């Protein structure tokens, strides 16, 4: 091999390696930048008032987003109550009961559902729940978010349950323990941590969704924690409303709310990862 | 080759000659197996299109140890998994023929496999205690999860009795609430035996119970098997011929046919099989010429 060829190869290698490293750092850097940027922009609004006060009347300074934070917890909580049991149930079915063909059909459907734009899910729930009930509600928002969580929980639960060695199931079955008891008392406890991780990642995803809330929760400047009694606020909606509003005060609060949201999602994801690693 | 030459002189188990003197060597009568043991009649088993067992006939004597030996892949495990209906747990697996437990066909229509498995316990090749449960909970699992309405004190009693039967009580009585996975491999296997005994089965199936254990743990389990045979009917699968010779009263030898289906080529008292095999293949197998 001639020296020039060798040198060219080395140069190409160095170039490609640095490009790949650059992109890798860019991927990590984006998150750091986002966190830093929203923090810098919103820090002046991040104080205790921001968390415990209601939005101030238009034109008045101060005020907080207590109703949005509570609303977010409320709607995501409702969504979790619906989506996590349903998702884990679907995961159990896929891992323990479904035959090859049926399992593949369900898996494919779940994967497609994961890819459905969330605004479409919002419109779907708008037609199905909001129009039928006659008003926007936390329930409608919860259902929309639950639909987003469902396939994520189902697929991750299935993976986690599949990791449980077959010998565990056989041990239980050979004791004359029925199949559903085996799943409930032997298989699920072994996979427990993984199931929680999957559920947490789905919660993190649902907490940041905005589009489906526009059609279901609508948003509300006032305090509301009613399941069916009308519009409810949520952090993503507050960010959206304040962000497109005309006042500097609003913009700053939108930044602060963004930081709270991103940080919460970050912490949930981190908790999920740590939980999975500790074994 | 003589069998006893393989045997450790100080081994705590009854050696082969001693057992012959104890009169364990009468051939199994069908009446005996029908009344208190297991009778297998014309059993076939498949995995999908592959036939794993062909026309197996076997008499399992009550309160005796029956060993099933043969080279790898000859269907030994499949055979004993048919005796508690665990065979059908594998997707695509099916079987035909009769397995009579105390004279009743466990494959008759309307028989619930769950009920069969309570009467016929099983110990697997690799110790498989439930990792999320304590030593105590492992043994109690069969009672609790079967929904038997038993009182707390009764459960504690049964757990202790089962652990004593499995010769494990003295080693674990101070760590009953520790995770079962903290025990050694041999202890875990005896825990699995205790767990199987706790539901008071009539028959205990052991699928190569010592193959994952060291020699000392193996001897302990063999010793235990002799002890258990006073109360339970035991069927053990092993690919260790010395083990079959050491512990069993009766031995069934299986071989693969041309199409790889498992067939039973010999079944007699262990002494007969090891000293005077009728089939040339048995002789070749036990003298180590193949397998």
């Amino acid at each position: 091999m001639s020296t020039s060829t060798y040198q060219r190869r080395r140069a190409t290698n160095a170039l490609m390696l640095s490009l790949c490293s650059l992109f890798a750092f860019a991927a990590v850097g984006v998150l750091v930048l986002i966190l830093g940027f929203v923090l810098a922009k919103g820090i002046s609004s991040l104080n205790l008032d921001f968390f415990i006060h209601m939005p101030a009347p238009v034109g008045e300074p101060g005020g907080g987003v207590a109703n949005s934070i509570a609303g977010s917890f409320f709607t995501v909580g409702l969504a979790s109550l619906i989506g996590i049991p349903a998702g884990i149930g679907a995961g159990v079915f896929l891992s323990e009961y479904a035959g090859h063909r049926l399992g593949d059909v369900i898996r494919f459907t779940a994967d497609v559902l994961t890819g459905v734009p969330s605004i479409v899910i919002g419109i779907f729930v708008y037609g199905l729940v909001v129009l039928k009930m006659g008003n926007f509600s936390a329930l409608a928002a919860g259902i929309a978010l639950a639909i987003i969580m469902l396939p994520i929980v189902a697929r991750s639960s299935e993976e986690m349950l599949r990791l449980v060695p077959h010998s565990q199931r056989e041990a239980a079955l050979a004791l004359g323990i029925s199949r559903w008891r085996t799943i409930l008392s032997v298989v699920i406890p072994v996979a427990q941590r993984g199931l929680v991780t999957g559920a947490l990642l789905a919660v993190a995803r649902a907490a940041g969704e905005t589009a489906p809330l526009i059609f279901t929760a609508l948003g509300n400047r006032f305090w509301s924690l009613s399941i069916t009694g009308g519009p409810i606020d949520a952090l993503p909606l507050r960010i959206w409303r304040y962000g497109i509003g005309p006042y500097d005060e609003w913009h700053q609060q939108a930044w602060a709310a963004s930081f709270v949201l991103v940080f919460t999602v970050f912490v949930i994801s981190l908790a999920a990862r740590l939980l999975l690693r500790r074994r | 080759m003589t069998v006893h030459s393989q045997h450790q002189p100080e081994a705590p188990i009854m050696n082969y000659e001693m057992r012959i003197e104890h009169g364990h060597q009468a051939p199994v009568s069908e009446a005996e197996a029908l009344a208190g043991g297991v009778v297998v009649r014309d059993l076939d088993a498949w995995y999908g299109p592959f036939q794993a067992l062909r026309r197996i006939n076997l008499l399992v004597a009550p309160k005796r140890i029956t060993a099933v030996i043969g080279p790898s892949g000859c269907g030994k495990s499949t055979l004993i998994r048919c005796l508690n209906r665990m065979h059908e747990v594998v997707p695509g697996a099916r079987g035909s023929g009769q397995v009579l437990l105390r004279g009743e066909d466990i494959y008759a229509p309307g028989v619930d496999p769950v009920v069969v498995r309570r009467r016929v316990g099983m110990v697997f090749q690799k110790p498989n205690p439930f990792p999320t449960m304590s030593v105590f909970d492992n043994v109690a699992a069969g009672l609790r999860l079967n929904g038997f309405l038993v009182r707390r004190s009764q459960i504690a009693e049964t757990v202790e009795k089962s652990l004593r039967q499995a010769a494990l009580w003295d080693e674990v009585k101070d760590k009953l609430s520790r995770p079962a996975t903290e025990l050694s491999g041999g202890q875990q296997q005896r825990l699995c035996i205790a767990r199987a005994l706790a539901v008071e089965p009539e028959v205990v199936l052991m699928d190569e119970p010592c193959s994952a254990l060291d020699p000392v743990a193996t001897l302990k389990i063999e010793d235990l098997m002799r002890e258990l045979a006073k109360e339970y009917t035991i069927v053990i699968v092993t690919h260790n011929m010395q083990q079959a010779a050491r512990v069993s009263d009766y031995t069934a030898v299986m071989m693969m046919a041309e199409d790889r289906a498992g067939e039973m080529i010999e079944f007699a008292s262990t002494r007969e099989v090891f000293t005077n095999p009728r089939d040339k293949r048995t002789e070749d197998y036990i003298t180590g010429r193949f397998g």
Side-chain angles (χ1 to χ4, degrees):
Chain A
M1 189 161 52
S2 73
T3 321
S4 67
T5 318
Y6 177 67
Q7 278 173 342
R8 208 186 63 231
R9 282 190 186 175
R10 272 179 60 120
T12 315
N13 182 44
L15 180 70
M16 294 312 283
L17 187 63
S18 25
L19 272 178
C20 288
S21 320
L22 188 70
F23 292 139
F25 279 111
V28 180
V30 166
L31 177 65
V32 177
L33 273 179
I34 290 176
L35 269 175
F37 196 63
V38 285
L39 182 62
K41 286 279 196 178
I43 192 134
S44 56
S45 291
L46 275 177
N47 47 40
L48 190 61
D49 281 0
F50 182 76
F51 291 97
I52 62 172
H53 279 252
M54 300 289 294
V58 176
E60 272 183 39
V65 293
N67 61 329
S68 317
I69 294 174
S72 261
F73 272 104
F74 195 61
T75 48
V76 174
L78 271 179
S80 304
L81 281 181
I82 306 166
I84 293 174
I88 291 180
V92 166
F93 181 81
L94 281 174
S95 144
E96 309 294 319
Y97 288 101
H100 277 296
R101 197 161 302 166
L102 183 61
D104 283 346
V105 170
I106 298 174
R107 242 168 255 130
F108 179 71
T109 316
D111 290 345
V112 172
L113 185 58
T114 314
V116 171
S118 56
I119 194 152
V120 175
I121 292 171
I123 295 172
F124 171 69
V125 175
Y126 176 79
L128 199 74
V129 182
V130 178
L131 287 183
K132 288 268 151 47
M133 281 181 25
N135 59 283
F136 296 98
S137 64
L139 181 66
I143 292 173
L145 295 179
I147 295 175
I148 289 166
M149 292 170 72
L150 181 69
I152 305 172
V153 179
R155 294 293 267 126
S156 69
S157 307
E158 186 202 356
E159 297 300 326
M160 293 303 156
L161 291 167
R162 271 184 197 286
L163 289 179
V164 178
H166 201 63
S167 62
Q168 291 298 319
R169 295 176 180 86
E170 294 210 319
L173 290 175
L175 284 173
I177 296 169
S178 59
R179 194 133 173 232
W180 70 271
R181 251 297 173 196
T182 299
I183 294 167
L184 206 63
S185 302
V186 174
V187 180
I188 287 180
V190 174
Q192 196 176 32
R193 210 171 283 177
L195 297 179
V196 173
T197 302
L200 280 180
L201 290 176
V203 166
R205 165 84 196 276
E209 282 294 341
T210 318
L213 298 180
I214 298 172
F215 289 98
T216 53
L218 188 68
N220 189 343
R221 284 182 55 77
F222 304 102
W223 185 266
S224 166
L225 284 184
S226 162
I227 294 184
T228 54
I232 186 167
D233 215 35
L235 272 177
L237 284 174
R238 189 63 20 209
I239 295 166
W240 180 58
R241 295 239 190 271
Y242 277 177
I244 61 173
Y247 310 106
D248 279 347
E249 186 77 9
W250 279 16
H251 294 162
Q252 227 165 52
Q253 295 221 326
W255 285 116
S258 302
F259 177 76
V260 171
L261 186 59
V262 176
F263 189 73
T264 311
V265 169
F266 176 70
V267 167
I268 296 174
S269 305
L270 201 66
R273 298 281 170 212
L274 288 179
L275 205 63
L276 197 63
R277 192 173 308 167
R278 213 187 59 206
R279 214 165 241 272
Chain B
M1 181 183 87
T2 54
V3 170
H4 69 276
S5 66
Q6 306 275 336
H7 204 69
Q8 305 258 328
E10 288 102 6
I13 56 171
M14 226 187 330
N15 73 23
Y16 193 67
E17 272 72 23
M18 284 162 69
R19 286 220 318 284
I20 293 171
E21 286 164 25
H22 279 72
H24 283 177
Q25 298 298 321
V28 193
S29 77
E30 179 151 4
E32 183 186 18
L34 269 174
V38 180
V39 177
V40 179
R41 276 189 193 145
D42 290 336
L43 182 71
D44 290 305
W46 288 268
Y47 294 100
F50 169 65
Q51 183 161 17
L53 294 178
R54 180 162 40 235
R55 288 183 66 84
I56 301 290
N57 286 284
L58 177 69
L59 301 174
V60 178
K63 300 191 179 179
R64 293 284 183 271
I65 299 179
T66 304
V68 181
I69 63 171
S72 299
C74 70
K76 308 182 292 286
S77 294
T78 305
L79 170 58
I80 70 161
R81 289 171 63 93
C82 286
L83 305 187
N84 65 344
R85 296 193 61 170
M86 284 297 286
H87 174 60
E88 66 207 50
V89 170
V90 179
R94 66 208 158 81
S96 75
Q98 282 187 318
V99 175
L100 308 173
L101 174 61
R102 287 180 186 260
E104 299 157 37
D105 187 3
I106 63 170
Y107 284 97
V111 175
D112 184 356
V114 168
V115 176
V116 171
R117 292 177 199 140
R118 283 175 200 167
R119 296 176 60 192
V120 185
M122 189 163 201
V123 176
F124 295 85
Q125 195 167 348
K126 265 197 183 155
N128 54 359
F130 301 129
T132 55
M133 296 185 198
S134 67
V135 170
F136 185 95
D137 290 345
N138 259 280
V139 184
L143 296 175
R144 287 180 180 153
L145 303 184
N146 272 326
F148 296 159
L149 292 172
V150 277
R151 287 202 314 277
R152 202 173 281 250
S153 60
Q154 261 177 307
I155 291 182
E157 239 169 68
T158 310
V159 168
E160 178 173 346
K161 184 179 151 221
S162 310
L163 284 170
R164 281 190 192 282
Q165 280 182 313
L168 188 60
W169 174 253
D170 290 331
E171 291 164 56
V172 300
K173 64 182 176 208
D174 298 323
K175 37 185 168 183
L176 291 176
S177 54
R178 304 296 304 165
T181 43
E182 284 181 8
L183 302 181
S184 72
Q187 288 175 328
Q188 286 188 15
Q189 192 61 305
R190 277 178 285 147
L191 181 69
C192 292
I193 294 174
R195 180 175 68 183
L197 297 178
V199 288
E200 297 179 342
E202 298 156 41
V203 180
V204 180
L205 308 173
M206 298 188 176
D207 189 356
E208 302 193 18
C210 303
S211 63
L213 305 181
D214 64 65
V216 176
T218 298
L219 273 183
K220 270 193 183 153
I221 301 242
E222 289 179 4
D223 199 8
L224 170 63
M225 275 190 261
R226 288 304 329 160
E227 211 38 58
L228 291 176
K230 291 173 184 162
E231 280 184 65
Y232 298 91
T233 303
I234 296 176
V235 182
I236 173 182
V237 161
T238 175
H239 54 208
N240 177 337
M241 286 165 287
Q242 287 75 35
Q243 182 169 64
R246 283 195 296 263
V247 301
S248 71
D249 302 297
Y250 300 98
T251 298
V253 186
M254 293 183 66
M255 289 283 158
M256 257 186 286
E258 295 279 293
D259 62 349
R260 294 175 51 227
E263 292 178 333
M264 189 161 293
I265 58 163
E266 187 141 358
F267 172 60
S269 72
T270 299
R271 178 178 60 172
E272 279 287 308
V273 169
F274 279 88
T275 56
N276 188 21
R278 271 173 304 172
D279 195 298
K280 179 75 171 62
R281 290 170 293 174
T282 305
E283 194 182 334
D284 289 347
Y285 179 65
I286 61 178
T287 52
R289 244 166 261 158
F290 76 93

